[in-house]
């Protein structure tokens, strides 16, 4: 008899036994006393909100949506989902212009890219940063992600024929970051997959996964993107292709946030949507092989991004990196870097963001690696800005280690 | 993914097994669906004798400091309980009369520490007590969120400002021979409780708070770090949802996050805990082990599961997974050849192995022994 069918509560909040374990792992609670914490903001608050929406607390906006509370909870309460869906349901304030700008990563990307050298120059200037700080409350101490001159999509389109010649085909959900800011990661993925006899295609048309819209009060736009992306991915899946990703946050959004927060059904694509590191690891496990440079040597420290931790797939990146001959591997302690997408860009969050990341930065300095490996683009900005160490996606390290 | 041994459950039993196997050269994985009973750990390993050489080494290599002396310890509400093997934080006394005059210090605004119950209990033992609420500027910002002024939040600050507490207590101290402080020290920096003892010219006793337990979380972190340092793979937040079993042999485990990617191994250890950790689950008719569907020793009639008097010993606490003499888990009456059940999932079915932490450690080491002897 399936008793759960009759007793399951929204995001499992009734399962909470008030053990307080989640509060010990929330990074925000450690630095911001105005934040009510996962237990209060999540299952405890849900009871009150169900009674009367009046009890919705605007301090819920301080939640990073890092999901560490969910990973820690022994009772399978979806604490962060509770908090984010409460924000979606009850937060009636309109997102500020600043939040709209930060959240619209693909729109901003398509605007900025043609003027990349100018935009990069301008956003790098002290004066611009001060203006952004004063007008939009984007913290002036932030370094901005650079925009690339040519988009990844344009680059790959020029190679369509060459890619189609490979015996096996996958589609790639590259995300805004690879497309506009760092096409090199996409190129690295193509190099590795080609070495495995796999050709790479674009989706019919992909849109930003919408993660930043969800956390910035723009869930309607996010839902539109979700519906679009699920259909686009489904089309590729129908044609028998897996769809690969290189960003842990895009992946978590496509896989978990779409159904759990936005109510967009993704069952048709769930099993075919994989982080590239998982796809490659599984291929190697089944007998495929890669040829590595004999002289490769690198001291690598791997940081598992929060969303990777929640996906539970960090193990594939770890094992893949360990497999590269010449890699001296350290696994960093599981900790949040503090950036959480657009969160750390906001002036009101800057100090908290840096304080959250401090223990991680300290550990990185102590390990002193040649490169920090990490599957998340915003962690990359944060760690590079805060420590000066270079951060690379495991795929890029793999590509670098391949024999030509 | 292939391992020598896959362990389900990353609490005390799972981690002790994992560390021991990694040390012996095995390649292992631990799947753990959430945090565990160590987060409520009092600091005393119940039903444990003096640790063997092997266990003492395991603890000290992980950075866990313990001591052993049969006696009693102070409980959070001012009562006493027999105790032996404990973390160094825990004071062990030959008798419950451990001082004459006691200064109990709490931090202003912290409600998870029961100073007045403690005083009442100690006064019953003939000790005179004075309670002081210490106001610390460094804790003030925590008061902005009264519900979140918890042990762990305070401990994070104490790792940095423990010397302020030492100075303040030195000033407060009159003719007391003993100081009682809440157990909120040494979350990251394990040397802090020792330094406080050194700095205060009186006997210092740390008393338990409401959860989460600071010494418990520290113990968990140190064990996990040690396991990962030895190359173990800890899959945090993942849940074993099923297994492939053929002719009495387990081949692989299915997990929620890895879905179609199974975890294969030669041996498996089930250390998924008791009711609290959902290693055992109940519905109105039955108590079940959800991953393998193992046989669970239980009273058939639900009315025999519990005593109506809440304070009585509850029969359901003794229910647990059925095992053979070597701790192989039993399903449909048949022992599975390469699956061992250890820790609180055994309930009271193996009384000779003790209870609580003693049961977790003893059964974990016994399973490790068998696995290593076979491979
Ligand atoms: C509140 C409380 C306080 C206690 N205090 C003490 C004390 O002070 N001293 C003492 O000696 N003993 C104490 N105990 C007894 C305690 O149970 C043991 O000491 C010991 O810690 C149990 O360890 P374990 O590894 O067997 O189980 P647990 O610590 O319960 O760990 C089991 C783990 O398995 C995970 N899990 C469960 N199902 C799955 C699944 N399907 N897939 C993956 N993972 C899964 C759980 O999430 C959990 O992390 C206490 C117990 C409780 C409940
Ligand atoms: S960890 Fe889970 S069960 Fe415990 S208080 Fe938090 S939400 Fe509730
Ligand atoms: S998602 Fe992260 S920031 Fe939000 S409550 Fe959970 S642990 Fe805290």
């Amino acid at each position: 008899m399936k008793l759960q069918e009759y007793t399951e509560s929204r995001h499992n909040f009734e399962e909470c036994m008030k053990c307080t374990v989640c509060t010990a792992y929330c990074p925000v609670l450690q630095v911001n006393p105005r934040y009510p914490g996962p237990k209060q903001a999540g299952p405890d608050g849900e009871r009150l909100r169900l009674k009367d929406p009046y009890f919705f607390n605007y301090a819920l906006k301080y939640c990073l949506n890092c999901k560490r509370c969910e990973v820690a909870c022994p009772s399978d309460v979806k604490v962060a989902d509770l908090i984010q869906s409460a924000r979606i349901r009850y937060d009636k304030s309109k997102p500020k212009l600043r939040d709209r700008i930060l959240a619209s990563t693909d729109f901003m990307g398509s605007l900025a890219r043609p003027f990349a050298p100018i935009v990069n120059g301008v956003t790098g200037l002290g004066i611009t940063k001060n203006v952004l700080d004063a007008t939009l409350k984007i913290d002036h101490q932030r370094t901005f992600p650079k925009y690339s001159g040519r988009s990844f999509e344009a680059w790959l389109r020029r190679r369509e024929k060459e890619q189609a010649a490979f015996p096996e085909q996958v589609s790639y959900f590259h995300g805004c970051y690879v497309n506009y800011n760092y096409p090199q990661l996409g190129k690295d993925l193509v190099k590795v997959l080609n070495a495995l006899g796999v050709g790479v295609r674009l989706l019919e048309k992909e849109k930003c996964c919408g993660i930043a819209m969800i956390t910035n009060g723009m869930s309607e736009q996010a839902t539109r993107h979700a519906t679009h992306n699920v259909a686009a991915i489904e089309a590729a899946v129908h044609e028998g292709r897996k769809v690969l990703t290189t960003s842990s946050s895009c992946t978590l959004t496509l896989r978990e946030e779409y159904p759990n927060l936005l109510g967009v059904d993704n069952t048709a694509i769930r099993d075919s949507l994989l982080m590239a590191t998982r796809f490659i690891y599984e291929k190697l496990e089944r007998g495929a092989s890669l040829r590595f440079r004999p002289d490769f040597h690198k001291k690598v420290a791997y940081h598992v991004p929060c969303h990777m931790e929640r996906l539970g797939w960090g193990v594939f990146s770890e094992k893949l990196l360990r497999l590269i001959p010449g890699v001296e591997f350290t696994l960093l302690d599981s900790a949040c870097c503090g950036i959480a997408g657009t969160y750390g860009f906001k002036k009101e969050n800057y100090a908290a963001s840096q304080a959250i990341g401090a223990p991680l930065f300290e550990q990185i300095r102590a390990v002193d690696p040649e490169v920090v490996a990490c599957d998340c683009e915003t962690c990359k900005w944060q760690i590079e800005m805060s420590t000066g160490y270079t951060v690379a996606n495991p795929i890029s390290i793999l590509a670098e280690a391949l024999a030509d | 993914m292939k391992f020598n041994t896959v362990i389900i459950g990353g609490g005390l039993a799972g981690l002790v097994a994992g560390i021991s196997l990694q040390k012996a050269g095995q390649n292992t994985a631990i799947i753990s669906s959430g945090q565990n009973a160590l987060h409520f750990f009092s600091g005393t390993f119940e039903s444990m004798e003096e640790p063997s050489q092997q266990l003492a080494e395991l603890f000290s290599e992980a950075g866990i400091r313990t001591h052993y002396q049969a006696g009693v310890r102070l409980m959070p509400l001012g009562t006493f309980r027999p105790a032996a093997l404990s973390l160094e934080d825990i004071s062990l006394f030959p008798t419950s009369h451990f001082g004459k005059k006691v200064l109990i210090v709490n931090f202003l605004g912290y409600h998870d520490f029961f100073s007045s119950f403690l005083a009442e209990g100690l006064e019953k033992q003939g000790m005179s007590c004075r309670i002081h609420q210490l106001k610390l500027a460094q804790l003030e910002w925590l008061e902005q969120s009264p519900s979140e002024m918890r042990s762990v939040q305070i401990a994070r600050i104490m790792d940095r400002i423990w010397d302020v507490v030492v100075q303040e207590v030195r000033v407060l101290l009159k003719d007391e021979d003993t100081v009682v402080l809440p157990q909120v020290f040494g979350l990251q920096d394990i040397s802090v409780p020792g330094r406080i003892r050194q700095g205060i010219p009186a006997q210092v006793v740390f008393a338990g708070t409401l959860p989460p337990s600071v010494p418990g979380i520290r113990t968990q972190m140190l064990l996990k770090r040690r396991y990962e340092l030895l190359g173990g793979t800890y899959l945090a937040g993942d849940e074993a949802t099923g297994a492939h079993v053929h002719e009495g042999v387990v081949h692989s485990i299915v997990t929620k996050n890895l879905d179609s990617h199974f975890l294969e191994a030669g041996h498996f250890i089930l250390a998924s805990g008791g009711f609290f950790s959902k290693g055992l689950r109940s519905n109105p008719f039955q108590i079940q082990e959800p991953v393998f569907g193992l046989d669970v020793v239980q009273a058939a009639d639900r009315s025999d599961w519990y005593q109506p008097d809440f304070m009585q010993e509850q029969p359901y606490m003794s229910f647990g997974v059925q095992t053979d003499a070597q701790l192989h888990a039993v399903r449909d009456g048949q022992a599975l050849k390469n699956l061992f059940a250890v820790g609180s999932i055994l309930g009271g079915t193996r009384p000779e192995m003790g209870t609580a932490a003693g049961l977790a450690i003893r059964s974990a080491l016994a399973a490790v022994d068998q696995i290593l002897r076979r491979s």
Side-chain angles (χ1 to χ4, degrees), chain A residues 71-75, chain B residues 7-16 30-48 73 75 81 85 211 213 220 234-235 237-242 253-255 270-281 289-291 317 342-346 355-361 363:
Chain A
V71 173
C73 174
S75 309
Chain B
I7 301 162
I8 301 166
L12 183 60
L15 280 165
V16 164
I30 294 180
I31 315 162
S32 200
S33 60
Q35 292 294 359
N36 50 69
L38 277 173
H39 288 60
F40 313 92
F41 184 45
S42 63
T44 293
F45 298 86
E46 280 170 38
S47 88
M48 275 303 277
R73 59 165 301 189
M75 300 298 287
R81 224 178 132 135
L85 181 66
S213 153
Q220 154 76 24
Y234 194 99
L235 301 168
D238 202 356
E239 182 186 334
T241 51
I253 299 286
V254 187
T255 81
L270 183 65
S272 51
F275 296 101
F276 173 86
S277 294
K278 306 206 167 177
L280 295 173
R281 287 184 199 229
E289 182 288 306
V291 183
M317 293 301 288
V342 305
S344 17
I345 197 169
L346 294 171
T355 60
L359 171 66
I361 292 171
S363 55

Side-chain angles (χ1 to χ4, degrees), chain B residues 260-282:
Chain B
S260 59
H261 191 109
F262 308 136
L263 299 175
E264 297 166 39
H267 292 98
F268 295 84
I269 296 179
L270 183 65
S272 51
F275 296 101
F276 173 86
S277 294
K278 306 206 167 177
L280 295 173
R281 287 184 199 229
S282 68

Side-chain angles (χ1 to χ4, degrees), chain B residues 1-216:
Chain B
M1 222 170 268
K2 285 194 185 68
F3 296 92
N4 297 120
T5 302
V6 166
I7 301 162
I8 301 166
L12 183 60
L15 280 165
V16 164
I19 291 172
S20 311
L21 289 169
Q22 286 293 140
K23 246 184 100 169
Q26 279 213 349
N27 177 23
T28 70
I30 294 180
I31 315 162
S32 200
S33 60
Q35 292 294 359
N36 50 69
L38 277 173
H39 288 60
F40 313 92
F41 184 45
S42 63
T44 293
F45 298 86
E46 280 170 38
S47 88
M48 275 303 277
E49 67 281 16
E50 196 157 6
S52 63
Q53 171 89 17
Q54 181 191 7
L55 184 62
E57 239 173 61
L58 188 150
F59 279 148
S60 77
E61 285 166 0
I64 297 166
R65 300 180 184 175
T66 60
H67 64 148
Y68 178 86
Q69 181 198 320
V72 296
R73 59 165 301 189
L74 176 63
M75 300 298 287
L77 297 181
T79 55
F80 288 83
R81 224 178 132 135
L85 181 66
S86 301
L87 296 180
E88 235 176 45
D89 313 47
I90 308 302
S91 304
L92 296 167
F93 309 107
T95 71
S96 52
H97 191 87
F98 60 75
K100 286 197 178 72
K101 290 192 142 189
V102 183
L103 171 65
I104 301 173
V105 180
N106 189 17
F107 304 111
L108 194 69
Y110 181 45
H111 303 300
D112 292 353
F113 181 64
F114 303 109
S115 342
S116 48
F117 285 124
L118 276 168
E120 220 174 279
L122 296 183
E123 271 161 10
K124 267 196 204 133
Q125 304 292 328
M127 297 176 240
S128 76
C129 296
R130 178 164 68 100
I131 299 177
H132 185 87
Q133 304 275 342
L134 190 58
K135 188 172 164 60
L136 287 177
Q138 291 90 338
L139 290 183
E140 253 165 36
W141 72 273
L142 275 184
E143 288 171 33
Q144 294 178 51
S145 173
S147 64
E148 293 311 325
M149 187 148 173
R150 293 182 197 280
S151 56
V152 176
Q153 287 7 304
I154 298 181
R156 285 212 171 83
I157 296 173
M158 288 302 164
D159 271 348
R160 279 179 279 122
I161 64 147
W162 59 271
D163 53 328
V164 177
V165 176
V166 168
Q167 282 156 25
E168 295 281 345
V169 172
R170 287 181 75 113
V171 173
L172 281 172
L173 208 56
K174 288 184 194 145
D175 54 348
E176 288 90 356
D177 51 67
T178 302
V179 175
V180 176
L181 283 165
Q183 226 170 49
V184 293
F185 299 99
L187 183 65
Q188 301 277 353
D189 182 349
I190 182 164
S191 69
V192 170
R195 289 175 193 226
I196 290 183
R197 284 201 173 115
Q198 265 173 16
I200 296 176
Q203 160 176 252
V204 176
V205 179
F206 299 106
T209 65
L210 280 186
S213 153
V214 170

Side-chain angles (χ1 to χ4, degrees), chain A residues 25-28 35 38 63-69 80 83:
Chain A
Y25 292 90
C26 173
V28 177
Y35 183 54
C63 169
L64 297 167
N65 198 25
C66 70
K67 314 272 187 199
R68 288 189 176 269
C69 44
I83 297 170

Side-chain angles (χ1 to χ4, degrees), chain A residues 2-128:
Chain A
K2 277 202 149 174
L3 286 163
Q4 271 273 309
E5 250 172 87
Y6 306 104
T7 57
E8 206 165 328
S9 51
R10 195 190 292 150
H11 304 302
N12 246 356
F13 86 90
E14 299 266 34
E15 291 288 301
C16 173
M17 57 176 156
K18 313 297 166 202
C19 70
T20 71
V21 161
C22 51
T23 66
Y25 292 90
C26 173
V28 177
L29 211 47
Q30 294 169 35
V31 298
N32 182 354
R34 272 168 311 196
Y35 183 54
K39 176 171 166 285
Q40 286 275 317
D44 291 4
E46 188 70 4
R47 269 172 209 287
L48 298 173
R49 294 188 289 263
L50 283 176
K51 232 178 169 84
D52 189 340
Y54 165 81
F55 290 107
F56 173 74
N57 183 345
Y58 281 84
L60 263 55
K61 69 171 184 222
Y62 293 119
C63 169
L64 297 167
N65 198 25
C66 70
K67 314 272 187 199
R68 288 189 176 269
C69 44
E70 290 182 6
V71 173
C73 174
S75 309
D76 200 25
V77 178
K78 301 289 181 253
V79 194
D81 287 356
L82 273 168
I83 297 170
Q84 292 309 321
S85 28
R87 292 189 59 207
I88 291 173
R89 198 162 320 135
Y90 303 112
D91 189 344
K92 295 290 172 247
S93 62
K94 284 253 169 339
K96 295 182 201 141
L97 173 64
R98 185 250 349 239
D99 296 359
R100 290 178 162 278
I101 292 179
L102 285 175
S104 306
T105 40
D106 55 353
F107 179 67
M108 284 303 286
S110 53
L111 274 188
R113 193 182 35 74
F115 310 105
I118 309 172
V119 174
N120 293 337
V122 171
T123 51
L125 288 176
I127 181 151
T128 319

Side-chain angles (χ1 to χ4, degrees), chain A residues 191-311:
Chain A
K191 177 178 172 190
V192 177
L193 289 174
N194 287 175
L196 285 163
V198 179
V200 183
R201 299 196 193 189
L202 296 168
L203 288 171
E204 199 47 61
K205 178 169 173 27
E206 73 166 70
K207 287 193 171 184
C208 167
C209 69
I211 186 170
M213 297 173 177
I214 299 174
T215 47
N216 281 294
M218 298 157 70
S219 58
E220 275 164 37
Q221 287 95 315
T223 310
R224 280 202 294 277
H225 282 216
T227 318
H228 172 96
N229 284 333
V230 169
I233 295 173
E234 215 177 315
V237 172
H238 268 301
E239 290 171 17
R241 289 190 297 278
K242 296 263 185 239
V243 177
L244 305 191
T245 55
T246 42
S247 153
S248 46
S249 288
C250 295
T251 314
L252 185 80
T253 308
L254 295 165
R255 217 178 120 86
E256 308 291 343
E257 310 284 63
Y258 281 7
N260 299 340
L261 294 182
L262 302 176
V264 174
D265 181 17
N266 67 357
T267 30
I269 63 162
R270 241 181 105 86
D271 292 343
S272 306
L273 184 75
L274 296 174
M275 291 283 296
T277 47
R278 174 169 175 176
F279 177 82
I280 295 166
Y281 178 86
E282 288 179 344
K283 246 189 144 27
L284 295 177
E285 200 178 50
R286 282 195 300 268
S289 65
L290 285 169
R291 274 192 324 115
F292 291 101
R293 269 167 41 195
D295 59 336
F296 188 75
H297 185 271
K298 201 144 244 182
K299 190 171 173 189
V300 180
Y302 179 49
H303 163 65
V304 187
C306 297
H307 289 164
M308 194 67 156
E309 181 112 357
R310 173 68 181 81
L311 276 172

